[in-house]
Amino acid sequence: MQKDFLQTANTPRRVVVTGYGAVTPLGLNSAESWAAIMDYTPGYRYCDKSAAGIKSRFYGLIDHEPSLKGVPAAIRRRLPRYARLTLASAREAMQMAFGDDKPEQHYDLRDCGVIMGTGWAGQDETQLHYEDYLRTGMGSPFGCFFSMPNSATAAVSLLWGLRGYQNTPVAACATGTIAVGDAFELIRNGRASMMLAGAGESLRSDSAVWNIDVLGALASEQEEITRACCPFSLHRNGFVLSEGAAVLCLEERESALARGANILGEILGYGNFSDAFDFTAPAEDKIARVQTIRHALAQAGIAASDLDYINAHGTSTPLNDLNETEAIKIALGESAAYATPCSSTKSYTGHLIAAAGSFESIVCLQALEHQIMPATCHLDAPDPACDLDYVPNVHRPAVLNTTLNLSFGFGGANAALVIGRGK
């Protein structure tokens, strides 16, 4: 009996997705965002910030925040914009996962945790209230919370009384995927039974935008929207900065089935390795990216040839798109790499920064549900050096069982998730 118990205790648990939510420039929820992609509608638009010395002209902005009605004022008033977007996404995810039930009806809340990441947190609000302080000698009494990177994590934990594991990853453009991956590992290893995981970002102030624009990372296209974000194209010239949030609800599979949850997909594998090369440029040797992909596949127990679709990081920057293409070829082997369609849905959303990976995980789940691969739009002039099947311009129906989501961030962060149908 003791031997049997140890075998059970040491067996990794299966982790499924039972809910998700998103707020993006494409829509105020995950369904609207998916519908916009299916309608080939980009979420970014022309916006002239030249008066502030900013060269980039296209941004993905959310005009109307989703309502946080019902959220106690003690929580709501302390949240910067990125955290409000994250909390709204978490509410959608929880509604999808639990309906009108409360998590404590099914779980000990000490087994339920929160991982909400961000790249730059409430930078806009911090600057705004500092300027108020300089002008009047008094800032906001909530200023401390606006600048806390874990304000969204705290808000989500507080709203549902989730008293288990809590963390706040900050890993630039790989943050959302790392949040989901870390939550997967916690449940897989028995540390938690249910986790909310995701990320949010909102950088709208001239100062915040200038900080990125001055690096030469943002799209330099001045007029034509189809060239503002065109991953893997000869015309690519930088990424389009967008705001948004996306959150997934993960559960241990047997517990989810026992409570009658609808299984939306399964996290099968996770990889996370560091370039240790540069603050912004990807490592030329591609070792970390390759190992990230291979580790995720190995943990999932699948071969490269078993992949049906890859949601690429695909930022529309000259360095990333070529480096990513080459890394995929090395990691999968050229035969599987050329045979596996991959696309960049940043061509619709722009770059959601921290939230990119968690939203693109949702895109993988929606692709599995609808059995369709979203196209890379604006890919009319492919770069000959980027020569994989990027599903150019037209969505492609397909039999999809296993997908791979890739995210790479400033600071050398690399993360990958293998996501399956979970049936």
Side-chain angles (χ1 to χ4, degrees), residues 14 264-268 300 302 305-310 364-365 367-373 398-404 418-423:
R14 294 174 65 179
L264 306 174
E266 181 172 0
I267 309 297
L268 301 171
I302 65 171
S305 58
D306 295 324
L307 283 176
D308 298 312
Y309 165 72
I310 300 170
C364 286
L365 291 162
L368 290 165
E369 177 186 353
H370 299 287
Q371 293 291 283
I372 191 167
M373 294 180 286
V399 177
L400 302 178
N401 292 299
T402 310
T403 65
L404 176 68
V418 178
I419 303 172
R421 296 187 73 178
K423 302 301 183 184

Side-chain angles (χ1 to χ4, degrees), residues 32 53 60 102 148 161 268 344 423:
E32 288 182 5
K102 296 180 179 179
M148 274 173 44
L268 301 171
S344 171
K423 302 301 183 184

Side-chain angles (χ1 to χ4, degrees), residues 73-330:
I75 297 175
R76 191 179 64 250
R77 293 174 66 193
R78 287 169 168 80
L79 301 183
R81 182 176 172 88
Y82 95 88
R84 298 194 300 270
L85 298 176
T86 305
L87 186 58
S89 300
R91 289 219 298 183
E92 182 188 353
M94 286 293 276
Q95 177 64 35
M96 190 179 294
F98 290 96
D100 294 330
D101 287 357
K102 296 180 179 179
E104 58 263 37
Q105 294 175 239
H106 306 282
Y107 292 107
D108 183 330
L109 292 178
R110 293 170 296 181
D111 294 326
C112 302
V114 182
I115 301 179
M116 296 294 150
T118 184
W120 280 266
Q123 183 179 132
D124 288 357
E125 288 82 2
T126 299
Q127 178 183 315
L128 175 65
H129 291 287
Y130 177 61
E131 290 171 351
D132 287 345
Y133 172 77
L134 290 178
R135 186 175 63 255
T136 67
M138 181 177 295
S140 168
F142 303 125
C144 172
F145 309 111
F146 294 150
S147 61
M148 274 173 44
N150 67 323
S151 61
T153 306
V156 171
S157 178
L158 283 164
L159 187 59
W160 287 283
L162 307 180
R163 309 195 74 173
Y165 184 92
Q166 183 195 111
N167 203 356
T168 303
V170 179
C173 316
T175 300
T177 297
I178 289 173
V180 175
D182 286 357
F184 157 73
E185 292 280 19
L186 288 163
I187 297 174
R188 182 175 184 267
N189 295 324
R191 174 64 174 80
S193 295
M194 187 278 278
M195 294 290 298
L196 283 173
E201 203 80 84
S202 180
L203 298 169
R204 295 169 60 109
S205 70
D206 289 345
S207 174
V209 176
W210 185 91
N211 282 340
I212 303 173
D213 186 66
V214 74
L215 299 176
L218 298 185
S220 60
E221 173 59 36
Q222 298 294 289
E223 298 178 355
E224 180 53 58
I225 193 170
T226 61
R227 294 194 178 190
C229 188
C230 48
F232 308 110
S233 168
L234 273 174
H235 304 307
R236 67 188 189 275
N237 55 85
F239 69 81
V240 168
L241 180 64
S242 295
E243 60 176 342
V247 173
L248 283 69
C249 179
L250 308 184
E251 297 184 58
E252 189 273 320
R253 183 175 183 270
E254 296 308 313
S255 299
L257 290 173
R259 71 174 188 85
N262 182 29
I263 306 302
L264 306 174
E266 181 172 0
I267 309 297
L268 301 171
Y270 169 48
N272 178 344
F273 289 82
S274 177
D275 280 348
F277 173 73
D278 189 81
F279 275 95
T280 57
E284 296 171 2
D285 63 16
K286 295 170 278 291
I287 289 173
R289 288 188 173 187
V290 170
Q291 184 63 17
T292 294
I293 295 169
R294 287 179 174 172
H295 188 275
L297 293 175
Q299 190 176 62
I302 65 171
S305 58
D306 295 324
L307 283 176
D308 298 312
Y309 165 72
I310 300 170
N311 189 286
H313 189 53
T315 55
S316 190
T317 58
L319 284 178
N320 173 81
D321 292 3
L322 178 59
N323 188 287
E324 181 173 15
T325 296
E326 293 172 345
I328 290 171
K329 290 179 185 178
I330 298 169

